[in-house]
């Protein structure tokens, strides 16, 4: 790989942005004998890739049937069959494992490098572009894309103007701008006549898998503490009003913390617990239950549940079946089960599936709509020599390795320069 410019080189391809999809495209094109120039504004390539999956990199999702995999993409599904027929999930496994990076599949089909190190994924991609056909210029932001008719003619950077026969915009989306994805590509899209859809807002409710949550649709609790965990490791807590809905949880507290949960969903399986009595410690809750039981010795648990649970949650704590027979008189409820009840009220468990958003899936979107791209080649329908890869494409998708799989697929297909 060359790191400086040779003025006499005539490039077949300029890749703007050296992230996951840009490296895949550049490596593929160079393997096919094309001379490639990567223009990167950071002083390093793949800055975002290196932090993916909380540093572990959820590289894809082990759903090998492309139809099933793509069924998660909502409206984008029908556009993606063609690129996935060229580079699918199995291709990703083959690509990385043949380059001595064994992969492991974890909960919810999330796939990680066996080493659990995103940097190892980066190193494979770096090796892929490290050949005589690729030139990389770092610290050189592209400022403008020039066009004439239906051709891109050059790109203007801080350090000069570059030309090639073909161009790929691989500048990413707008999330985590400190990694370099500052949405520059979105602006150019507008300038050259493509549509640039705005990224979805990340102030959204959370979708929850647990039935008990959905059963509470319409109920709200004024003050709960919610604590989030990634792969069972505590991450952060917030206290505020919680609203249960038919798909999960909402309310101002949840809407405002959703962006943090979006990040956690990239790191692993996210769960949460609800503390219904954030101002009382576990011992006090246990004592309060004991008092209620003492005052209602001969009543059934079913009849006094509403006195120990927050408003609206009596049936829920019965449904948890800590007291197997709700008709049991409370004087015969064991100390152990009383303790379990108090623990439940301090820590009601739920699993976070996703953020709700456009098309009821989220994470990140925005960018060029697929209706303006020939997805067989990832070529622009407006310009003969312009391609798109990765997060610059407007594709609503879930978390769990789906975003990077899109990068590998679109990068590979665009890199074929058909
Ligand atoms: C915290 C976090 C964790 C994530 N974890 C996962 C995960 O585990 N699994 C998963 O599937 N997805 C994950 N994602 C999403 C995934 O990282 C992205 O989908 C992917 O990195 C997008 O790749 P890209 O090539 O499109 O763009 P990026 O990786 O964003 O790369 C774009 C590149 O373009 C460069 N660039 C931008 N503007 C210019 C310019 N004007 N001139 C020159 N260069 C420019 C940038 O500096 C950058 O290097 C995560 C995202 C985040 C934010």
């Amino acid at each position: 790989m060359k790191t400086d410019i040779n003025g006499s080189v005539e490039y077949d391809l300029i890749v703007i942005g050296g992230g996951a999809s840009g490296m895949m495209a550049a490596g593929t094109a160079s393997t096919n004998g094309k001379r490639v120039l990567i223009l990167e504004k950071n002083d390093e390539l793949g800055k975002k890739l290196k932090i993916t999956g909380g540093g572990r990199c959820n590289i894809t999702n082990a759903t090998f049937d492309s139809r099933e995999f793509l069924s998660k993409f909502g409206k984008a599904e029908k556009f993606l069959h063609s690129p996935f027929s060229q580079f699918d999930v199995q291709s990703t496994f083959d690509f990385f494992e043949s380059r001595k990076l064994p992969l492991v599949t974890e909960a919810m089909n999330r796939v990680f490098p066996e080493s659990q190190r995103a940097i190892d994924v980066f190193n494979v991609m770096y090796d892929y572009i490290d050949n005589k056909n690729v030139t990389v210029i770092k610290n050189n932001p592209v400022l403008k894309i020039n066009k004439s008719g239906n051709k891109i003619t050059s790109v203007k950077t801080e350090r000069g103007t570059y030309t090639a026969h073909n161009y790929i915009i691989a500048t990413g989306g707008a999330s985590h701008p400190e990694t370099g994805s500052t949405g520059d590509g979105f602006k150019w899209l507008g300038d050259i006549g493509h549509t640039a859809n705005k990224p979805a807002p990340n102030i959204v409710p959370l979708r929850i898998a647990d039935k008990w949550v959905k059963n509470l649709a319409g109920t709200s609790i004024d003050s709960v503490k919610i604590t989030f965990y990634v792969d069972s490791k505590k991450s952060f807590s917030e206290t505020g009003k919680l609203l249960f809905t038919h798909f999960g949880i909402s309310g101002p507290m949840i809407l405002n913390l959703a962006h943090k949960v979006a990040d956690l969903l990239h790191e692993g399986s996210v769960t949460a617990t609800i503390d219904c009595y954030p101002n009382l410690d576990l011992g006090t809750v246990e004592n309060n239950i004991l008092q209620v039981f003492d005052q209602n010795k001969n009543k059934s648990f079913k009849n006094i549940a509403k006195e120990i649970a927050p408003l609206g949650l009596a049936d829920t704590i019965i449904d948890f079946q800590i007291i197997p027979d709700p008709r049991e008189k409370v004087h015969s409820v064991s100390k152990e089960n009383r303790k379990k009840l108090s623990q439940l009220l301090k820590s009601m468990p739920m699993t976070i599936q996703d953020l709700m958003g456009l098309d009821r899936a989220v994470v990140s979107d925005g960018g060029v709509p697929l209706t303006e791209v020939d997805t067989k080649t990832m070529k622009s329908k407006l310009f003969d020599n312009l391609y798109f890869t990765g997060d610059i494409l407007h594709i609503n998708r879930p978390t769990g390795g789906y975003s990077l799989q899109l990068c590998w697929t679109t990068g590979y297909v665009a890199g074929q320069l058909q």
Side-chain angles (χ1 to χ4, degrees):
M1 180 167 53
K2 298 173 212 137
T3 51
D4 214 337
I5 335 151
N6 174 350
S8 63
V9 173
E10 195 186 326
Y11 294 106
D12 296 303
L13 172 66
I14 287 177
V15 178
I16 311 172
S21 72
M23 284 194 282
M24 180 55 113
T28 303
S30 65
T31 306
N32 292 339
K34 302 284 195 278
R35 289 144 307 170
V36 183
L37 171 64
I38 299 179
L39 295 171
E40 168 56 54
K41 80 164 162 197
N42 285 335
D43 58 3
E44 60 178 309
L45 301 182
K47 208 167 169 187
K48 186 177 274 180
L49 180 59
K50 291 173 192 164
I51 60 159
T52 51
R56 297 198 299 135
C57 187
N58 181 190
I59 201 167
T60 184
N61 189 283
T63 305
F64 291 96
D65 180 80
S66 288
R67 286 197 174 275
E68 197 186 335
F69 185 93
L70 292 174
S71 67
K72 306 273 169 56
F73 286 76
K75 287 179 194 149
E77 175 185 355
K78 64 174 188 279
F79 297 97
L80 294 172
H81 289 294
S82 178
F84 272 75
S85 70
Q86 299 171 60
F87 197 94
D88 60 7
V89 173
Q90 185 61 54
S91 314
T92 299
F93 269 76
D94 295 344
F95 180 87
F96 286 100
E97 297 203 317
S98 68
R99 287 171 173 78
K100 300 197 170 37
L101 189 80
L103 306 180
V104 289
T105 303
E106 300 187 4
M108 288 145 76
N109 285 344
R110 290 164 194 255
V111 180
F112 295 86
E114 196 176 83
S115 66
Q116 303 282 312
R117 284 161 32 110
I119 188 76
D120 293 341
V121 178
F122 168 78
N123 286 337
V124 169
M125 296 315 295
Y126 193 79
D127 283 351
Y128 193 44
I129 59 166
D130 190 9
N131 65 61
K132 66 176 175 29
N133 284 337
V134 179
T135 302
V136 177
I137 307 178
K138 294 183 253 185
N139 282 318
N140 193 18
V142 169
L143 305 173
K144 189 170 182 284
I145 298 185
N146 298 309
K147 61 165 183 156
S148 170
N150 66 348
K151 292 253 182 218
I152 301 300
T153 49
S154 62
V155 291
K156 182 170 179 267
T157 74
E158 270 187 3
R159 284 151 57 183
T161 297
Y162 300 89
T163 58
H165 299 300
N166 297 284
Y167 300 81
I168 293 180
I169 301 184
T171 44
S175 72
H176 281 249
E178 78 283 3
T179 64
S181 347
T182 42
D184 299 10
F186 295 161
K187 185 184 166 298
W188 305 329
L189 287 175
D191 292 347
I192 61 175
H194 265 291
T195 306
N197 285 325
K198 287 221 158 52
N202 51 19
I203 300 179
V204 289
L206 302 182
R207 180 160 35 200
I208 307 293
D210 307 71
K211 198 159 166 268
W212 73 263
V213 172
K214 293 177 182 161
N215 287 345
L216 282 171
T219 308
S220 65
I221 313 182
D222 274 348
S223 175
V224 300
K225 181 162 120 185
I226 186 163
T227 304
F228 291 90
Y229 302 81
V230 185
D231 294 333
S232 306
K233 225 173 96 205
K234 187 172 165 180
S235 176
F236 74 96
S237 300
E238 291 281 347
T239 303
K241 183 171 175 165
L242 185 74
L243 173 68
F244 294 95
T245 71
H246 64 278
F247 51 77
I249 51 175
S250 189
M253 168 179 71
I254 297 298
L255 298 180
N256 289 328
L257 56 72
H259 66 285
K260 287 205 225 170
V261 178
D263 286 351
L264 298 187
L265 282 161
H266 283 305
E267 294 178 24
S269 301
V270 182
T271 51
T273 55
I274 301 287
D275 180 350
C276 299
Y277 295 118
N279 298 324
L280 306 178
D281 63 20
L282 184 66
T284 310
V285 174
E286 211 178 324
N287 276 337
N288 290 352
I289 293 177
L290 182 60
Q291 265 184 25
V292 173
F293 280 17
D294 277 347
Q295 287 157 12
N296 298 279
K297 279 192 179 64
N298 289 318
K299 289 194 181 155
S300 66
F301 174 62
K302 190 170 167 243
N303 285 341
I304 59 94
K306 61 179 176 305
E307 295 190 35
I308 62 171
L311 196 62
L313 265 68
D315 286 344
T316 309
I317 63 164
I318 293 171
D319 288 347
F320 268 91
Q321 295 189 332
I322 288 169
I323 317 294
D325 180 358
R327 289 165 306 179
E328 184 177 345
K329 298 273 187 282
V330 290
H331 65 76
S332 61
V333 171
S334 68
K335 185 172 176 201
E336 193 194 339
N337 279 347
R338 272 200 327 261
K339 200 180 185 96
K340 281 190 191 156
L341 269 177
S342 48
Q343 279 162 347
L344 174 68
L345 289 165
K346 289 290 286 175
S347 162
M348 297 183 74
M350 58 176 73
T351 301
I352 315 295
Q353 281 182 311
D354 223 327
L355 273 68
M356 300 289 296
L358 296 178
D359 295 326
R360 309 217 145 178
V362 186
V363 176
S364 121
D365 63 3
V368 64
L370 292 181
T371 46
E372 295 180 9
V373 180
D374 171 9
T375 52
K376 227 181 286 163
T377 55
M378 300 316 300
K379 195 194 275 190
S380 157
K381 286 186 179 169
L382 307 189
F383 296 92
D384 263 359
N385 60 347
L386 177 66
Y387 297 76
F388 301 103
T389 62
D391 281 2
I392 190 73
L393 294 157
H394 179 71
I395 301 177
N396 209 270
R397 61 204 178 258
T399 54
Y402 293 89
S403 297
L404 281 174
Q405 180 60 53
L406 272 180
C407 290
W408 313 135
T409 296
T410 55
Y412 175 85
V413 171
Q416 300 294 338
L417 289 187
Q418 289 159 349

